[in-house]
Amino acid sequence: MVALALWTAGHRRASMRVVLAGSAIAVSMGCLGLAVAPAWGITLAFAALIGLGFGGFAVTLNSLFADGFGQRSGFMINLLNGAYGVGAIAAPLAISAMPGADYRIPYAVLSALALLTIPMLWGTRNPVLAAAADEGPAWRERRRAVRRILLGFGAVYLLYAGVEQGIGLWEATHLIAQGVSSSAAAGYTALFFTTYTLGRFLIAPIALRVAPDRIFISCIAASIGCLVLAQYGPIAPAAYALAGVACGPVFPTGLNWLARALPGVRSGAAVVLAGAGAGGIIFPRVVGQLIDLTDERGIPMILAAVAGAALLGTLNLRRAVHARAPAAGPGSPPPTSAVR
């Protein structure tokens, strides 16, 4: 979250290549520090450094891929986030398969891998965004429209992150309440994250032909249907797996939609990521409180209600975007060719 704030404040002063290189160095130093840290306080400091670098990677890469490939950006950003999902699944499995319980070797390897990403950065162009000039009332009104749409995207992502996090955190609780064993419930939760990643790869070729707002709305609507089906115990595991396919494309596709709606507004990805981060913090606790007031067997309907709120917000957002699509201001680059 600190990295997102720094990006929002300084994205006009530093090129994306510099931000990515700095993020790689921060992750590398943090991993190396965790491998050798002699005390708990030092461990936390290096963990914070990793978080700072990871946040820089997340916002910068998503910003680049959201509009850097022109009409293929929807395809590419889903591949980017699909690759993230593969790594998030494969890395823990690889580490758990290592002999012994020494965590220092994996962190040392990750430190080296982070540094190896720096030579790859030369494949990116090096845009530095100049501040736009104030052109009077018309420009100020345009900026207000941009802010309204940005806040709309942030609010939708806040709600939808609550759905994704809620499924990941509460699916096992719901399945156990339905009589599923704890080990099987854990396996079905892992299946959700697997299909979540698969959904991004499946939607990538569709994103070449279908507008991102239509994909975004369709995926949210499909996730609501899957959560309603999950209320019926015998098919709940399959419904959750299908919900993963529906949820997976939402995050990257929304960024592509945002880039088209607000071309040249580079702070957009930071606002969306901040909204998603806030939703991931707030809604799991909210869902937990609602479960205390009702019953574990009602978890799918609680999450479906949150997804329904996200869908309503998305429909309002699309009307706002179509009613007035703010143009990029002076000094903003066209939404193409950020990546070779």
Side-chain angles (χ1 to χ4, degrees):
M1 296 297 285
V2 171
L4 299 183
L6 291 174
W7 166 262
T8 302
H11 71 281
R12 295 187 182 276
R13 299 179 179 87
S15 70
M16 291 187 173
R17 186 182 296 166
V18 169
V19 175
L20 286 169
S23 299
I25 292 171
V27 171
S28 179
M29 291 177 60
C31 288
L32 185 61
L34 283 183
V36 299
W40 178 241
I42 298 174
T43 298
L44 291 179
F46 282 116
L49 189 60
I50 293 175
L52 189 66
F54 182 78
F57 266 125
V59 67
T60 309
L61 287 175
N62 278 298
S63 295
L64 281 169
F65 276 67
D67 66 354
F69 293 89
Q71 294 301 312
R72 295 185 298 124
S73 294
F75 174 85
M76 295 301 297
I77 195 171
N78 274 284
L79 290 187
L80 170 71
N81 283 271
Y84 167 80
V86 171
I89 294 170
L93 292 175
I95 292 172
S96 66
M98 294 183 64
D102 191 350
Y103 63 89
R104 292 173 294 182
I105 294 175
Y107 275 118
V109 171
L110 291 173
S111 176
L113 289 175
L115 288 179
L116 288 177
T117 65
I118 294 178
M120 302 177 191
L121 303 181
W122 303 112
T124 64
R125 298 187 190 275
N126 209 29
V128 180
L129 306 185
D134 188 342
E135 292 190 346
W139 173 242
R140 288 194 290 272
E141 175 59 30
R142 190 180 302 162
R143 291 183 65 184
R144 284 194 288 269
V146 168
R147 290 194 188 99
R148 286 194 295 269
I149 291 177
L150 276 178
L151 289 175
F153 273 98
V156 168
Y157 270 79
L158 184 146
L159 290 166
Y160 207 72
V163 177
E164 293 181 352
Q165 293 286 334
I167 296 174
L169 291 172
W170 294 109
E171 176 185 350
T173 301
H174 172 242
L175 293 177
I176 291 171
Q178 296 285 355
V180 177
S181 68
S182 57
S183 59
Y188 288 132
T189 302
L191 178 62
F192 165 78
F193 286 110
T194 301
T195 58
Y196 178 86
T197 299
L198 179 63
R200 292 174 168 176
F201 289 114
L202 291 176
I203 209 68
I206 298 174
L208 292 172
R209 298 172 177 83
V210 180
D213 57 332
R214 293 180 62 185
I215 295 174
F216 192 87
I217 291 171
S218 298
C219 286
I220 294 180
S223 69
I224 295 172
C226 292
L227 287 168
V228 172
L229 290 175
Q231 189 66 40
Y232 181 56
I235 63 171
Y240 279 122
L242 290 175
V245 176
C247 290
V250 171
F251 179 86
T253 302
L255 287 172
N256 181 229
W257 179 22
L258 172 60
R260 291 192 185 188
L262 302 177
V265 181
R266 294 290 183 181
S267 60
V271 172
V272 165
L273 286 166
I281 294 170
I282 295 169
F283 275 97
R285 183 169 181 83
V286 171
V287 172
Q289 295 294 326
L290 292 174
I291 292 170
D292 288 340
L293 295 174
T294 56
D295 186 79
E296 290 92 344
R297 287 170 293 185
I299 288 173
M301 297 307 296
I302 294 172
L303 295 175
V306 179
L311 180 60
L312 290 176
T314 303
L315 294 174
N316 287 328
L317 177 61
R318 184 165 70 166
R319 281 194 291 269
V321 170
H322 287 177
R324 179 166 184 164
S332 297
T336 56
S337 301
V339 181
R340 290 197 182 102

